[in-house]
Amino acid sequence: MSLSCSSLLTPVDEDREFRLDDYEGARARWCPGCGDHSVLTAAQRLLVDEQLKPEETVFVSGIGCSSRFPHYMKTYGFHGLHGRALPVATGVKLNRPDLHVFVVMGDGDCVSIGAGHWVHATRYNVDMVAMMLDNNIYGLTKMQTSPTTPQGYKSNTQPQGSWLPALNPLEATLGITNASFVAQTAEWIPAHLFATLQAAYRHRGFAFVRVLQRCPVFTEDIYLDAVRNPEMIDMLTHPDGVELPESLRQIYTSEVRHDPKNLAAAREIAADTSRLRLGVLYRDESNPRYEETRHLPLHTAEDKIRILNEELDQYAV
Amino acid sequence: MRVLVGDDTAVQTRAEQSRIRTTRQPQCTVEVVSDSGEGAQKCGQTFGAVSAKMGNGVWTVEIIPAEIQPPPRSPAGASGNRIRIGEGVVTNWGDRTNVAIAFNEQVLLARHRLDAIEEDAILLVENMWATHKDEDIRAEWAAAMDELGQANYRIIEVPMEEECLTIVENARKGKNMFALGILCWIFDRDMEITREQIAHAFRKKDPEITERNHELLELGYSWADSHLDVRIDVTPGLSPENTLVMNGNQAIAYGAVAAGMDLAAMYPITPATSVSHQLGEMFYKFGGVVHQAEDEIAAVGVALGASYSGKVAFTITSGPGLALKTEFLGLSVMSEIPLVLVNVQRGGPSTGLPTKVEQSDLLAALFGQPGDAPHVVMAPATIEECFHSMITARRIAETFRTLVMVLTDANLATGVQPFPRPTLDPAWQGSLPDMSPVPEGKAPYDWDEETGLSRRFIPGTPGGMHTLTGLAHDENSKVAYASAINQKSSAMRSRKMAVLQSTLRPPVVHGPESGDLLIVGWGSTKGAIEEAVDRAREEGLSASSLHLRFLSPLEPGLKGIFGRFKKVMTVEINYSDDPDMPYITDENRRRGQLAWLLRAQTLVDVDCWTRVLGEPLQPGAIHDVIRANVSKGGAA
Amino acid sequence: MPSDMTTDERASGALRVLEKACEDYHSALVATSEELRSLLDAGSATAEARAGRTAAELGAFAVGHIDIEKFAAFERTGEPVAVTEAPRLEAASRTLLSLLEHGNDLYYVNVDPGADLRDAVARGLGRAGRAFGAARTVELARSGKYDEATHGGWTDSFPPTLWSRREKQLAPPLVVEVDGADLRPGGLADFLDGEQKIVLVVRGVAPPAALARLITPGLLVVQTENPADLGAVAEAAGPAIAALVPADACHFTHSPAADGGRGRLVVRHMPTEEPKRPLGSLSVFQQTEAMRHLAALAAGWGLSAPETTAPSGDGASVPAPAASAADNLAAWILRQADISGMG
Ligand SMILES: Cc1ncc(C[n+]2csc(CCOP(=O)(O)OP(=O)(O)O)c2C)c(N)n1
Ligand code: SF4
Ligand SMILES: [Mg+2]
């Protein structure tokens, strides 16, 4: 980790230890039973575990139910525009590689209106964690079809049922050149969610995590079976991805060893939607990261003026 | 009159040389035109740069083909440069051309038909087409020469191809330097400087290319020396000491560096793109980075994210890109994240005239963001100001936590002009944003009730954690829909503009402070307007002009100044209805954009004269407008 | 004072490899000194001085268009620092500027023959670390907590023992030139924390496995003849140390494992013979012990976790060990003999 762009000036009490309440912002106002609550808890736990300074951590989001996330953290937050969280996060990280950047998006946010940015952020591979909280619906605007809405599922905009097959965000992300981390987890399995977010945070590069998220108000039935029947879920495990947390071994018995280095296998797994798979599908830290192109500011104002003068000599008459 | 210079006159003796007539002119406009890709631009630019280095005033503009892929030898393909040089400072591209050198007769015809050529101009034209093996071409040549012959030009045929072939195999690649040699002879340019300039232009290529180009230059020069009989003396009257020559986009790029900004995010769009090319070459040396985003929305998003987290970043675009950026610009205003946006205006609406100048984005820049989004809009008027405005823009953005738009246009972007070399000051780079621990109880929008100003909390600042939002919010950045809070926060954002306006000085009138007519302009038209006003005043007409740099907030004192003139009108490069057009009434007339703004803000009956010809305004045309309006307005 | 100017080409090479870390540190110095400059500017400002500063900052475009005095009145300055603290800020500023003047020599120390390696490293880090001392002085001064008795002198020397967790993350890299006879790296463990990177450039005959004693699960340790292997140090996510040693010494890389396991040890070269002569104050026993320690680590680790010894790159893998530790070592050393050319 480099703290390159930052100055050395930091407060005096800087070796302080952070507890959960150091990360707790406003009281979360999602619907009771909304899966977003559990993602929030996992993120706060992660920050405690990693002892990230609240002032050096930024949560960037778009617009949607899920995008209210930053308000409930006591870090810096940027609750920006619908679909545009990734460019903002890219700007933050390009300018300030020293900050820990987390992005929270909804499914509409990420793979519909923000689809272009999702593709390119994946390719830029800037070091950050990008969570897509996928409730298969537009929540905030009250139940419109999203790209990930299952085919045939009824919504307010497609009351006869979603016409098209759902977009597969994992398969799509794995198809993007220079993708370096693609994982899937579910908010109703907190231990797995935590482990996955931790792996994402520790990954150097753009870590895309699709979090299956229950919306009890609009899409209650979509994940119901999977919640009730753990045997429907395959856990992808590997030392280089996530291992199955001890507490879950009894419940999730279908464990599939999958080496996240294996892109072809990852794509196959992602494309096969006959079962739900959770875990790290793909991970490669050797991919180039866009922020590496950033040259550090090595010059004082005086130095810069001197170099600028030399530059301007080319235009001197 | 048509003068053919054939082989019979080729050999001149010393005695004959004394017959060479040199005319002295205070200023002269030269054009180099060819099919695109034949290098006329390089010839023109080099000629301009050499003239500047010798101490002439210079203004160079590009002549851009009307079509993207025009067939060769078609009037639509005319491409090249216009270079206006003068004894003193030259502030605009002038009226019509006095000397043109053309690589085929069709492009010359195009300029003639556009009325771009002065009546007694000297036209040098490649004559290989006269004897071309293709009968159609020979016919075209004959017809064109006939048409040109109707006018009073002095046409000189030049065997460019034939001459160049004595040195290079592909004359298409060499004519431009041969042409440059001819121009150097006519205007008695310093050949040493010219050779240096060529070497500089080709510094990234094989040195042999420079050598070949030097030979072609000499060839053109000596051909002219032995065949031409007219030389023009535009005596350099300026001290070239401490002068820089560059175009407006280069000035913007260097201005951004001087302003201490180090992140530019953009998506390629003509005519703004070359700013990023310039930055791409040198920004890294200063720790800067140019981010070419996936689209304009992402570009402004990245710039905003960068600004949010530290020093002010900037984004560069043109009309269609400005349209895409609007939502983020609103967010910048709402969340009070400083940001600098440079909009290099081109013709619109929609894709419009990508390469050509217009000033049609003023109202979009001011009011294009849905919701009430007060912000700063400023417009440099010269290439020099393009450089300096970036420094001021960044400072204002920082102090007022605001979006600052800098509007330039294609005329400034591609025009090349010498200007005094700035004495660089490290203070331009500003201070780093304050990241000292936030005292307990301070809010992220701790608006000063009077001024609306507040301290910005940047990530990394201890104790400043908050979530910034584009939703309506209170001092604590908490989402708040309460009516009183929205009223107050809107007032706070708006107040900042009033506060900035209170620090602005009233504009200085060019010419007497009262009279018959006041012309008001903004942006790149300053030089042409002032030249026109000066000419009119020499004729005894009572005209003055005023040029605005700040469009939002508007500079103070306008109403008072306007009141001292019988008539006030704007001159702009955007569309307005002329009053005498069908259906147009005073009530429905759509006026120039600045006129619209000034009428609204001052309640003065500001008239306008505007044109959207895809080219800079000519001082002569404005002069005509002044004449027409002073007699009218004066009588009124 | 020994002169700390690089002489050995290998040392400048090592600095080049560590360029990124040097730049990181340098840029933090620049950022800090710029921030401090802003603070000083703001602190010293009378209304007049502030207007002067504002005029300068607004530049030429403002001339004639902006009333500077009025504008300056709206300028917000940072939280003001008490005037009495100004001398501390100035001292800190001088420290930072003098460190900037050092350029890359800031990241280099030379150990005079016979001198103590640990002391020299402490000196080098303490020197570059003055930046931390300066920054802390500023922070203390502006929060009104500066106390001469405790904090005095921090701008002159700020040893790693005082560095905070964050400062250790930002630790300046260090290239150290040292005689083989003085290569006693044991004490360096004290400094290997956070993101500290140290490269020792060893002159002359060297003990074969000096760095072996530093191998711990979380530390990257490299002994090599080939400067290209130093890349691993530059890229390491945690602390790392390397020594550029002669061709006949042990060449190995111990990379820490991400999961807190014991990591991976790859030995590329083992001398065929154990040391026979004392080297400086290093006895034969001490030299041999280090070498055996390395072999034991390699062999022992091979036993229970074969994947940690899988071949990697150009390195030879450590074969599965024989039954007893002693036999094991003997067999191991022998078997390494035939790959000595591969280092
Ligand atoms: C440019 C723009 N278009 C549309 C909207 C309205 N809008 C707000 S959130 C949203 C969709 C939310 O769905 P999703 O991203 O899946 O988030 P969720 O609420 O389900 O968490 C829409 C369409 C907007 N805010 N901005
Ligand atoms: S509508 Fe659905 S997604 Fe939104 S807060 Fe309620 S439960 Fe959560
Ligand atoms: Mg959704």
Side-chain angles (χ1 to χ4, degrees):
Chain A
M1 179 191 50
S2 116
L3 295 168
S4 48
C5 291
S6 66
S7 116
L8 301 173
L9 300 181
T10 48
V12 184
D13 61 338
E14 66 131 339
D15 270 347
R16 66 200 190 276
E17 182 158 342
F18 303 105
R19 298 173 314 176
L20 203 59
D21 57 358
D22 286 312
Y23 300 110
E24 288 169 356
R27 194 174 57 81
R29 296 242 301 269
W30 289 298
C31 305
C34 173
D36 292 348
H37 289 287
S38 125
V39 185
L40 178 68
T41 308
Q44 288 167 337
R45 269 187 60 209
L46 175 69
L47 268 57
V48 176
D49 215 62
E50 300 287 343
Q51 283 293 298
L52 304 188
K53 282 194 183 172
E55 68 264 26
E56 289 175 357
T57 308
V58 186
F59 277 80
V60 182
S61 65
I63 296 287
C65 293
S66 41
S67 287
R68 293 189 188 161
F69 200 101
H71 290 283
Y72 310 141
M73 299 290 302
K74 206 195 283 169
T75 61
Y76 278 87
F78 193 116
H79 181 201
L81 300 180
H82 188 36
R84 317 295 174 197
L86 289 169
V88 170
T90 303
V92 171
K93 193 71 186 176
L94 274 186
N95 201 35
R96 293 285 302 282
D98 57 311
L99 299 173
H100 315 285
V101 178
F102 295 82
V103 181
V104 184
M105 299 166 282
D107 42 331
D109 222 22
C110 181
V111 297
S112 187
I113 188 170
H117 308 313
W118 156 55
V119 170
H120 290 280
T122 303
R123 179 168 163 260
Y124 296 148
N125 194 31
V126 171
D127 189 14
M128 63 176 77
V129 177
M131 294 173 242
M132 168 177 145
L133 309 196
D134 193 353
N135 56 3
N136 294 185
I137 200 82
Y138 286 10
L140 188 76
T141 46
K142 301 199 170 18
M143 207 185 185
Q144 294 82 22
T145 306
S146 121
T148 60
T149 303
Q151 192 167 24
Y153 198 85
K154 295 186 168 68
S155 78
N156 283 330
T157 39
Q158 302 195 358
Q160 290 78 20
S162 169
W163 183 246
L164 296 168
L167 183 137
N168 180 336
L170 297 177
E171 196 187 11
T173 312
L174 285 165
I176 299 168
T177 308
N178 210 35
S180 77
F181 184 106
V182 179
Q184 174 157 277
T185 182
E187 51 65 26
W188 64 88
I189 316 174
H192 191 268
L193 172 65
F194 176 83
T196 309
L197 292 185
Q198 186 151 50
Y201 169 72
R202 292 185 174 175
H203 171 74
R204 265 202 284 184
F206 183 79
F208 178 80
V209 184
R210 180 194 192 196
V211 183
L212 306 179
Q213 179 234 321
R214 289 167 301 171
C215 167
V217 178
F218 298 125
T219 53
E220 189 185 13
D221 43 339
I222 289 184
Y223 296 123
L224 210 59
D225 279 352
V227 174
R228 291 196 181 143
N229 307 306
E231 66 280 2
M232 285 177 63
I233 295 177
D234 289 343
M235 289 294 188
L236 307 173
T237 59
H238 196 271
D240 196 33
V242 285
E243 292 288 16
L244 194 56
E246 203 52 52
S247 58
L248 300 179
R249 282 190 193 282
Q250 304 294 320
I251 311 167
Y252 293 93
T253 48
S254 169
E255 186 176 338
V256 178
R257 283 309 251 189
H258 164 66
D259 182 353
K261 275 244 155 20
N262 190 340
L263 182 58
R267 285 181 174 155
E268 238 169 76
I269 292 169
D272 173 12
T273 49
S274 63
R275 286 180 67 77
L276 266 187
R277 267 99 177 198
L278 305 185
V280 179
L281 282 92
Y282 183 65
R283 179 172 123 80
D284 187 351
E285 270 195 345
S286 64
N287 291 10
R289 282 178 289 127
Y290 184 64
E291 72 269 27
E292 290 165 334
T293 59
R294 184 85 161 89
H295 291 255
L296 299 174
L298 293 174
H299 305 293
T300 58
E302 280 79 9
D303 286 341
K304 285 199 204 171
I305 290 298
R306 185 181 44 71
I307 302 171
L308 181 56
N309 251 323
E310 284 166 20
E311 275 287 321
L312 291 181
D313 282 345
Q314 295 175 58
Y315 303 88
V317 157
Chain B
M1 178 182 51
R2 185 164 163 194
V3 178
L4 290 174
V5 182
D7 272 342
D8 43 336
T9 58
V11 188
Q12 289 182 330
T13 62
R14 282 271 152 216
E16 281 172 315
Q17 276 196 20
S18 63
R19 263 180 284 153
I20 294 172
R21 192 164 40 88
T22 300
T23 60
R24 181 163 176 187
Q25 292 179 10
Q27 59 92 11
C28 185
T29 302
V30 181
E31 285 188 5
V32 187
V33 269
S34 68
D35 285 344
S36 60
E38 287 185 311
Q41 304 229 341
K42 197 137 238 163
C43 170
Q45 281 159 1
T46 311
F47 178 73
V50 169
S51 300
K53 290 198 171 188
M54 289 176 64
N56 283 115
V58 179
W59 186 277
T60 309
V61 288
E62 288 173 14
I63 297 165
I64 295 155
E67 284 173 26
I68 303 204
Q69 291 288 2
R73 294 178 31 79
S74 67
S79 140
N81 270 117
R82 164 183 281 206
I83 314 97
R84 186 184 185 204
I85 62 174
E87 292 178 346
V89 175
V90 176
T91 63
N92 64 83
W93 75 324
D95 295 308
R96 273 177 287 223
T97 196
N98 306 104
V99 176
I101 184 158
F103 296 14
N104 68 60
E105 80 292 345
Q106 295 301 317
V107 292
L108 199 56
L109 195 59
R111 301 301 294 159
H112 164 72
R113 287 178 181 166
L114 280 173
D115 198 18
I117 305 175
E118 196 60 63
E119 275 169 19
D120 57 353
I122 298 172
L123 308 182
L124 298 120
V125 56
E126 159 75 279
N127 69 359
M128 64 178 281
W129 315 107
T131 54
H132 200 272
K133 60 179 188 303
D134 184 332
E135 192 181 323
D136 291 347
I137 290 181
R138 291 200 305 274
E140 281 167 15
W141 164 273
M145 292 314 264
D146 251 10
E147 190 176 334
L148 289 168
Q150 309 291 316
N152 198 25
Y153 306 135
R154 179 165 179 215
I155 299 174
I156 301 170
E157 292 180 22
V158 185
M160 292 193 198
E161 175 98 357
E162 190 184 319
E163 289 287 329
C164 291
L165 283 176
T166 62
I167 293 184
V168 286
E169 270 168 34
N170 180 359
R172 233 180 101 82
K173 285 257 150 82
K175 279 183 197 176
N176 60 345
M177 289 296 124
F178 181 80
L180 179 62
I182 295 178
L183 290 177
C184 282
W185 182 86
I186 296 176
F187 290 92
D188 196 17
R189 302 291 83 176
D190 183 321
M191 291 301 275
E192 201 37 57
I193 296 179
T194 311
R195 274 187 291 268
E196 275 169 26
Q197 197 61 34
I198 291 171
H200 180 72
F202 294 96
R203 68 193 179 283
K204 288 184 193 155
K205 305 240 167 85
D206 190 338
E208 207 169 295
I209 295 189
T210 298
E211 226 168 89
R212 200 68 355 98
N213 282 320
H214 281 170
E215 285 171 32
L216 287 158
L217 172 80
E218 306 293 347
L219 186 67
Y221 190 94
S222 60
W223 182 89
D225 193 36
S226 47
H227 291 85
L228 300 184
D229 58 2
V230 179
R231 298 185 92 168
I232 298 169
D233 172 17
V234 183
T235 312
L238 300 170
S239 156
E241 298 273 293
N242 265 324
T243 301
L244 298 179
V245 184
M246 59 172 72
N247 69 34
N249 275 359
Q250 289 169 324
I252 290 280
Y254 284 112
V257 171
M261 295 197 272
D262 50 24
L263 191 136
M266 47 70 70
Y267 186 80
I269 184 164
T270 307
T273 315
S274 67
V275 176
S276 56
H277 295 177
Q278 193 65 37
L279 285 168
E281 294 236 341
M282 52 75 179
F283 213 17
Y284 69 93
K285 296 181 190 170
F286 303 89
V289 66
V290 181
H291 173 59
Q292 180 182 326
E294 57 270 26
D295 57 35
E296 278 90 351
I297 299 176
V300 65
V302 165
L304 199 70
S307 264
Y308 157 72
S309 64
K311 277 204 264 176
V312 176
F314 70 113
T315 182
I316 323 154
T317 194
S318 190
L322 179 66
L324 284 179
K325 288 174 200 276
T326 48
E327 194 186 5
F328 260 123
L329 297 177
L331 177 62
S332 155
V333 172
M334 184 58 143
S335 59
E336 306 191 48
I337 304 173
L339 180 70
V340 173
L341 173 141
V342 179
N343 179 30
V344 185
Q345 297 167 96
R346 63 190 224 181
S350 188
T351 310
L353 298 167
T355 55
K356 311 243 173 175
V357 63
E358 226 168 80
Q359 297 181 311
S360 302
D361 294 349
L362 177 58
L363 294 179
L366 287 166
F367 305 117
Q369 308 75 43
D372 182 53
H375 61 277
V376 179
V377 178
M378 46 194 258
T382 62
I383 288 163
E384 179 182 13
E385 286 185 5
C386 286
F387 178 89
H388 292 291
S389 62
M390 293 301 282
I391 295 154
T392 314
R394 186 202 58 79
R395 192 75 200 87
I396 292 175
E398 197 101 64
T399 302
F400 286 86
R401 278 186 87 164
T402 185
L403 164 66
V404 179
M405 292 190 189
V406 177
L407 302 185
T408 73
D409 63 31
N411 185 25
L412 289 172
T414 57
V416 177
Q417 188 194 25
F419 61 87
R421 182 175 182 140
T423 312
L424 308 182
D425 187 340
W428 290 346
Q429 317 225 331
S431 312
L432 286 182
D434 179 10
M435 285 181 51
S436 60
V438 172
E440 196 101 17
K442 283 267 184 200
Y445 296 98
D446 215 342
W447 295 299
D448 178 315
E449 299 272 337
E450 284 267 305
T451 63
L453 297 173
S454 57
R455 170 182 171 185
R456 183 159 74 99
F457 296 174
I458 291 160
T461 308
M465 289 82 74
H466 68 286
T467 290
L468 173 148
T469 176
L471 287 157
H473 52 264
D474 62 13
E475 281 92 340
N476 292 305
S477 197
K478 293 275 172 266
V479 175
Y481 301 135
S483 45
I485 293 176
N486 197 45
Q487 179 67 27
K488 177 178 176 187
S489 55
S490 297
M492 292 293 91
R493 292 188 294 271
S494 185
R495 186 72 47 77
K496 296 189 291 181
M497 295 304 111
V499 172
L500 174 59
Q501 203 257 5
S502 79
T503 75
L504 299 182
R505 291 183 188 280
V508 176
V509 176
H510 176 80
E513 298 212 3
S514 60
D516 289 349
L517 178 67
L518 178 72
I519 303 273
V520 187
W522 65 285
S524 71
T525 51
K526 178 169 179 278
I529 290 175
E530 291 184 355
E531 186 170 332
V533 164
D534 291 347
R535 285 188 206 170
R537 279 222 309 281
E538 267 168 37
E539 287 175 3
L541 299 178
S542 167
S544 300
S545 67
L546 181 156
H547 216 74
L548 292 171
R549 307 302 198 288
F550 285 87
L551 288 318
S552 168
L554 264 180
E555 291 166 30
L558 294 180
K559 197 165 182 160
I561 297 171
F562 291 179
R564 293 192 283 272
F565 290 87
K566 288 187 188 145
K567 174 163 186 160
V568 180
M569 72 190 298
T570 67
V571 165
E572 306 176 63
I573 314 177
N574 49 43
Y575 182 78
S576 65
D577 297 321
D578 286 341
D580 52 2
M581 287 173 172
Y583 287 99
I584 302 305
T585 65
D586 191 48
E587 209 173 45
N588 71 12
R589 180 180 175 205
R590 296 181 61 252
R591 293 178 168 83
Q593 301 196 359
L594 178 61
W596 194 305
L597 181 69
L598 294 177
R599 291 168 69 92
Q601 286 292 94
T602 64
L603 292 181
V604 172
D605 188 6
V606 177
D607 193 3
C608 64
W609 178 81
T610 73
R611 284 295 176 270
V612 282
L613 303 170
E615 55 183 38
L617 299 179
Q618 294 176 349
I622 302 171
H623 186 188
D624 291 344
V625 171
I626 296 174
R627 277 193 192 129
N629 281 280
V630 169
S631 45
K632 268 197 260 165
Chain C
M1 276 294 276
S3 113
D4 287 333
M5 300 276 281
T6 45
T7 49
D8 192 320
E9 177 40 41
R10 290 179 305 158
S12 5
L15 277 170
R16 273 196 299 280
V17 177
L18 293 176
E19 191 179 14
K20 174 80 175 57
C22 296
E23 283 189 359
D24 277 0
Y25 197 72
H26 188 84
S27 100
L29 286 182
V30 168
T32 313
S33 88
E34 292 282 281
E35 201 179 329
L36 187 46
R37 183 174 57 84
S38 312
L39 208 61
L40 282 165
D41 284 346
S44 66
T46 57
E48 224 168 61
R50 217 162 55 207
R53 172 86 197 162
T54 303
E57 285 199 16
L58 278 168
F61 187 81
V63 175
H65 300 296
I66 295 180
D67 182 326
I68 303 296
E69 254 168 53
K70 284 191 187 162
F71 192 98
F74 298 113
E75 211 78 86
R76 69 165 304 288
T77 51
E79 299 303 323
V81 179
V83 192
T84 49
E85 301 298 340
R88 325 249 178 274
L89 304 197
E90 276 152 18
S93 173
R94 279 194 301 277
T95 296
L96 291 170
L97 292 176
S98 84
L99 292 179
L100 280 171
E101 269 170 25
H102 271 82
N104 266 359
D105 285 334
L106 189 59
Y107 314 108
Y108 171 83
V109 284
N110 178 42
V111 186
D112 282 346
D116 185 79
L117 173 62
R118 187 187 180 284
D119 288 352
V121 169
R123 175 168 55 83
L125 295 179
R127 178 183 58 192
R130 289 169 64 202
F132 299 138
R136 293 252 210 126
T137 302
V138 173
E139 284 304 336
L140 288 163
R142 76 169 159 190
S143 57
K145 294 186 187 144
Y146 184 85
D147 167 31
E148 185 65 37
T150 332
H151 312 122
W154 278 8
T155 51
D156 300 324
S157 172
F158 197 69
T161 43
L162 292 176
W163 295 359
S164 68
R165 194 178 62 194
R166 177 189 151 97
E167 284 158 353
K168 286 173 180 172
Q169 302 271 274
L170 271 169
L174 197 65
V175 172
V176 186
E177 249 184 86
V178 60
D179 277 0
D182 299 321
L183 190 56
R184 300 170 154 279
L188 301 187
D190 292 353
F191 309 123
L192 292 165
D193 192 4
E195 291 276 329
Q196 186 67 59
K197 315 281 190 256
I198 297 176
V199 174
L200 308 172
V201 177
V202 182
R203 291 181 294 239
V205 185
L211 293 203
R213 289 177 188 243
L214 289 175
I215 294 177
T216 49
L219 189 64
L220 177 81
V221 184
V222 181
Q223 233 187 246
T224 181
E225 174 208 18
N226 181 2
D229 294 337
L230 297 180
V233 175
E235 275 150 35
I241 183 163
L244 279 175
V245 293
D248 57 4
C250 300
H251 298 165
F252 64 87
T253 297
H254 169 260
S255 337
D259 56 9
R262 65 179 91 177
R264 175 196 298 254
L265 179 62
V266 176
V267 180
R268 288 180 299 274
H269 175 241
M270 268 287 189
T272 43
E273 289 179 16
E274 297 193 342
K276 299 236 161 42
R277 266 178 297 277
L279 186 57
S281 64
L282 287 163
S283 69
V284 171
F285 175 78
Q286 285 172 313
Q287 296 177 55
T288 312
E289 276 300 288
M291 193 165 151
R292 291 183 178 179
H293 178 58
L294 177 66
L297 281 179
W301 288 9
L303 192 62
S304 57
E307 71 216 46
T308 64
T309 60
S312 141
D314 57 348
S317 64
V318 180
S324 94
D327 291 352
N328 187 13
L329 170 62
W332 196 85
I333 292 176
L334 278 174
R335 265 182 283 172
Q336 293 309 304
D338 54 34
I339 57 153
S340 58
M342 291 183 62

